[in-house]
C-alpha cells in the first residue's frame, strides 16, 4: 500500500471483500473548486433556457446510457460498497427509472397552475429554476442516491454538483462522462471531490442556491446549520429505525418473508429498511420461527459470487460499530435467536444475526443499527405496537401487516413520512420520500422532488392595480 497525504485519503476505494486498497482519488484544491463552481453557474445561465422538449430528449438519452452501462456501473458500486451484485444492478435500474419518470411526466409537473384571483384577468404559479444545487450523498447506494439528487433538479433547470462519500467516488464519477456523452452541456452535472471544509465554502457561495444531504442525523445537523446560516433551502434525508408491525390478523408467512428480505437488502445498510420488527403476541412464535429461518438461510460471501445473498459491510468501521451495538445489547440481557457478528479473516464480513428481548437501556433501542441485525419486539396488542413504533427519535417510514382495515388504522397513527400496508413501500420514484423527527426535513422524488429547489413564482396579468 502506497503512502498518501491526508487529503488524498479523503477519497479512497477499499474493496470490502478483501480489505485491499483499490484506488485513491485526490480531493480538489481551492482553485479547482472555484473552477467547478464557475462552470456550474455558467451552465445554469444557459441550461435554464433550454426548451423542455430538449431536456426531455436528453433525459431519455441518459436513461438509455445508464442502462447500457449498467454492468460496469454495478460492478463499480459493488467493488466500492460491498453489496451483492444483483442489489447494485437493481440500484442502477432505479436511476434509469428516475430519468424516464421525469422525462415522461415533466410537461405535466412543470405546467403552469392557474389560480382564480378576483380582480386579475389571469394568475398562475410557475416552477422556475434557482441555480446551482449541491448534493451531499452517502455510500450505501452511490448510483441511485447521486441521481436522486440530480434528476429532478436538472429537469427543472437547475445545475447539480454531487459530493460523494469518501469510499465510493468512483461510482459517482462515472456519471460525469455519461452526461457529456448524452449531450448535456458541460457543467450541468459534476462530481465534486471536495473536502469537508470546502463544503462550507460551497454552501456559503451565492451561486449555490440549494443543499440536499442524505446521511446521518449528525451530518444533517451540521449541514442544516450551514444552510440556515446562509439562508439556503435544504433537504435532509437522514437516519431511520423503521418499525415493521405484524398484527395477529396478518398473513404470517408473507410478513416474515418481506420483513427478512427488507432487513437484508444492501446488507441491511439503508436508512429506509425496517429495522425493528414489532409482533403482537398471538402470532409472535410462528413469525419468529419463519423470520429467523430466513436469516439463517442467507449465504454470506464474495459479493460477485452468484451464490452469495449477502456480502461484506462497507468498511471496517461500519462492522466495528455494529458489533459494538450488538455486544452492548447482549451484555444487557438481549436474547440471541441466531448467532452472528463479525467474521474473522480478510474483508469486512458480518454474519446476519437476530436478537429479541431488547430494552430501552440498550443502544440498539435508540440508535440505528446499520447492518444485518434483525430485532424482534413482542407486544400484547396493536395499541402497544403503535406506542413502541413511535417510541423512536426517527420517523422515516414503516410497514404494517394485518387485516386491511386494522392495518390502515395502525398505519395512520405512525409518526412517519411514509408507510406500507401489507407491503414494503420503500422509495418509489413517483412518490415523495422523506421523514419526520430526526429522519430529516423536506422531500425527494415525485413532484415534491422538484418543488424543494424550485422558485414557486406567481404571476398576475391584467385587471386590478393592487393585489390587496
Amino acid at each position: 500500500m502506497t503512502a498518501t497525504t491526508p487529503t488524498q485519503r479523503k477519497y479512497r476505494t477499499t474493496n470490502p471483500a478483501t480489505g485491499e486498497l483499490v484506488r485513491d482519488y485526490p480531493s480538489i484544491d481551492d482553485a479547482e473548486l472555484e473552477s467547478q463552481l464557475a462552470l456550474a453557474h455558467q451552465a445554469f445561465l444557459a441550461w435554464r433556457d433550454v426548451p423542455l422538449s430538449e431536456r426531455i430528449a436528453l433525459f431519455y438519452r441518459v436513461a438509455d446510457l445508464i442502462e447500457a452501462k449498467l454492468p460496469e456501473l454495478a460492478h463499480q458500486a459493488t467493488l466500492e460498497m460491498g453489496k451483492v451484485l444483483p442489489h447494485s444492478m437493481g440500484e442502477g435500474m432505479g436511476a434509469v427509472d428516475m430519468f424516464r419518470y421525469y422525462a415522461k411526466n415533466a410537461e405535466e409537473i412543470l405546467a403552469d397552475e392557474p389560480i382564480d384571483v378576483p380582480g386579475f384577468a389571469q394568475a398562475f404559479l410557475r416552477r422556475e429554476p434557482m441555480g446551482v444545487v449541491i448534493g451531499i450523498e452517502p455510500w450505501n447506494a452511490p448510483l441511485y442516491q447521486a441521481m436522486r439528487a440530480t434528476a429532478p433538479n436538472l429537469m427543472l433547470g437547475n445545475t447539480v454538483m454531487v459530493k460523494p462519500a469518501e469510499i465510493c467516488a468512483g461510482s459517482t464519477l462515472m456519471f460525469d462522462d455519461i452526461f457529456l456523452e448524452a449531450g448535456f452541456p458541460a457543467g450541468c452535472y459534476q462530481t465534486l471531490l471536495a473536502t469537508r471544509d470546502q463544503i462550507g465554502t460551497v454552501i456559503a457561495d451565492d451561486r449555490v442556491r440549494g443543499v440536499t444531504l442524505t446521511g446521518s442525523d449528525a451530518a444533517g445537523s451540521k449541514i442544516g446549520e450551514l444552510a440556515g446560516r446562509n439562508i439556503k433551502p435544504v433537504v435532509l434525508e437522514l437516519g431511520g429505525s423503521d418499525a415493521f408491525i405484524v398484527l395477529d390478523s396478518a398473513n404470517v408467512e408473507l410478513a416474515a418473508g418481506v420483513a427478512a428480505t427488507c432487513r437484508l437488502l444492501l446488507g441491511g445498510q439503508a436508512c429506509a429498511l425496517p429495522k425493528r420488527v414489532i409482533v403482537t403476541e398471538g402470532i409472535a412464535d410462528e413469525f419468529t420461527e419463519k423470520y429467523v429461518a430466513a436469516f439463517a438461510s442467507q449465504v454470506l460471501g464474495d459479493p460477485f459470487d452468484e451464490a452469495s445473498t449477502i456480502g461484506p459491510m462497507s468498511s471496517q468501521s461500519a462492522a466495528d460499530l455494529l458489533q459494538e451495538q450488538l455486544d452492548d445489547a447482549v451484555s444487557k440481557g438481549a436474547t440471541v435467536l441466531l448467532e452472528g457478528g463479525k467474521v474473522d479473516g480478510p474483508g469486512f464480513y458480518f454474519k446476519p444475526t437476530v436478537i429479541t428481548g431488547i430494552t430501552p437501556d440498550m443502544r440498539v433501542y435508540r440508535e440505528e443499527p446499520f447492518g444485518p441485525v434483525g430485532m424482534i419486539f413482542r407486544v400484547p396488542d396493536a395499541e402497544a405496537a403503535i406506542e413502541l413504533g413511535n417510541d423512536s427519535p426517527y420517523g422515516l417510514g414503516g410497514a404494517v401487516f394485518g387485516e386491511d382495515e386494522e392495518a390502515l388504522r395502525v398505519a395512520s397513527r405512525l409518526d412517519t413520512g411514509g408507510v406500507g400496508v401489507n407491503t414494503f413501500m420503500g422509495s418509489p420514484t413517483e412518490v415523495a420520500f422523506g421523514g419526520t423527527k430526526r429522519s430529516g426535513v423536506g422531500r425527494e422524488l415525485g413532484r415534491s422532488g422538484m418543488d424543494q429547489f424550485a422558485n414557486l413564482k406567481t404571476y398576475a396579468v391584467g385587471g386590478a392595480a393592487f393585489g390587496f
Side-chain angles (χ1 to χ4, degrees):
M1 185 177 295
T2 59
T4 58
T5 68
T7 297
Q8 287 176 313
R9 282 200 297 269
K10 294 296 292 183
Y11 292 90
R12 163 167 286 189
T13 296
T14 300
N15 184 346
T18 64
E20 297 175 350
L21 174 68
V22 176
R23 179 175 173 180
D24 280 328
Y25 299 86
S27 56
I28 58 174
D29 60 27
D30 289 345
E32 291 169 316
L33 175 62
E34 170 56 30
S35 178
Q36 287 196 251
L37 279 169
L39 180 60
H41 179 63
Q42 288 302 313
F44 164 69
L45 296 178
W47 178 247
R48 65 183 178 185
D49 293 326
V50 171
L52 185 58
S53 60
E54 294 184 25
R55 290 185 216 161
I56 290 171
L58 287 170
F59 262 53
Y60 278 123
R61 211 170 297 161
V62 164
D64 290 345
L65 281 171
I66 295 174
E67 188 168 20
K69 298 174 185 289
L70 200 52
E72 181 183 355
L73 287 161
H75 183 278
Q76 185 68 22
T78 288
L79 179 67
E80 293 187 319
M81 185 267 179
K83 58 179 173 280
V84 292
L85 191 59
H87 291 181
S88 293
M89 292 288 288
E91 174 197 346
M93 274 308 299
V96 173
D97 292 342
M98 247 183 277
F99 278 88
R100 289 181 178 153
Y101 166 80
Y102 283 110
K104 179 180 178 181
N105 295 282
E107 290 183 347
E108 178 186 351
I109 294 174
L110 292 174
D112 291 345
E113 294 183 13
I115 307 169
D116 184 12
V117 182
F120 291 111
Q122 183 185 13
F124 57 90
L125 180 145
R126 177 173 292 169
R127 291 171 172 82
E128 298 184 354
M130 299 173 64
V132 181
V133 173
I134 173 71
I136 304 167
E137 300 305 318
W139 47 259
N140 56 348
L143 309 176
Y144 175 80
Q145 293 286 169
M147 294 303 99
R148 192 164 78 179
T150 299
N153 282 297
L154 278 183
M155 184 58 81
L156 176 63
N158 294 324
T159 56
V160 181
M161 307 175 80
V162 171
K163 181 208 173 293
E166 286 91 4
I167 67 173
C168 62
S171 298
T172 308
L173 281 165
M174 294 174 75
F175 286 111
D176 291 66
D177 291 335
I178 287 175
F179 281 102
L180 292 175
E181 185 178 346
F184 275 79
C188 284
Y189 170 87
Q190 297 178 84
T191 298
L192 185 69
L193 299 187
T195 66
R196 293 181 182 180
D197 289 342
Q198 287 173 327
I199 288 301
T201 300
V202 172
I203 293 173
D205 194 288
D206 288 341
R207 293 165 293 188
V208 173
R209 299 294 301 278
V211 187
T212 178
L213 168 119
T214 298
S216 68
D217 49 331
S221 295
K222 294 176 183 176
I223 296 302
E225 180 182 355
L226 285 170
R229 190 183 304 156
N230 291 282
I231 320 297
K232 304 284 177 75
V234 62
V235 171
L236 302 174
E237 199 278 283
L238 309 177
S241 188
D242 294 358
F244 192 107
I245 295 175
V246 187
L247 305 171
D248 283 355
S249 58
N251 178 328
V252 176
E253 185 170 358
L254 173 66
V258 174
T261 298
C262 291
R263 187 67 193 98
L264 296 169
L265 280 171
L266 310 188
Q269 299 170 99
C271 57
L273 299 176
K275 298 178 177 66
R276 297 177 297 142
V277 176
I278 301 171
V279 190
T280 51
E281 195 62 49
I283 46 87
D285 288 341
E286 181 185 359
F287 176 91
T288 298
E289 180 182 355
K290 296 181 184 302
Y291 185 78
V292 171
F295 267 64
S297 70
Q298 299 303 306
V299 179
L300 180 67
D302 183 343
F304 290 106
D305 188 334
E306 292 182 359
S308 300
T309 61
I310 186 168
M313 295 190 65
S314 62
S315 65
Q316 186 65 60
S317 60
D320 289 344
L321 173 59
L322 188 63
Q323 187 66 53
E324 290 171 8
Q325 292 170 318
L326 177 61
D327 290 345
D328 173 79
V330 173
S331 71
K332 293 174 180 175
T335 300
V336 178
L337 300 176
L338 179 69
E339 291 281 356
K342 284 200 305 182
V343 177
D344 292 335
F348 315 133
Y349 287 95
F350 195 104
K351 184 180 178 183
T353 183
V354 182
I355 59 174
T356 191
I358 299 147
T359 56
D361 63 326
M362 300 173 187
R363 290 176 59 182
V364 293
Y365 191 92
R366 295 289 176 190
E367 297 179 11
E368 179 182 21
F370 220 58
V373 174
M375 301 189 297
I376 298 177
F377 297 76
R378 298 172 70 127
V379 294
D381 53 33
E383 290 303 310
I386 294 167
E387 182 178 357
L388 180 56
N390 287 330
D391 188 19
S392 168
Y394 300 105
L396 187 55
V400 183
F401 277 66
E403 185 274 326
D404 284 352
E405 185 175 348
E406 182 186 24
L408 280 165
R409 180 186 67 81
V410 171
S412 71
R413 292 177 58 190
L414 292 181
D415 187 7
T416 63
V419 61
V421 176
N422 289 313
T423 188
F424 170 64
M425 184 173 71
S427 56
T429 301
E430 297 81 0
V431 302
F433 177 72
T436 63
K437 299 188 284 188
R438 294 192 70 83
S439 288
V441 296
R443 294 293 183 268
E444 296 181 301
L445 300 176
R447 184 186 300 269
S448 299
M450 283 194 187
D451 284 352
Q452 303 303 307
F453 301 113
N455 177 15
L456 302 178
K457 190 173 179 179
T458 51
Y459 288 76
V461 181
F466 302 97
F468 54 87

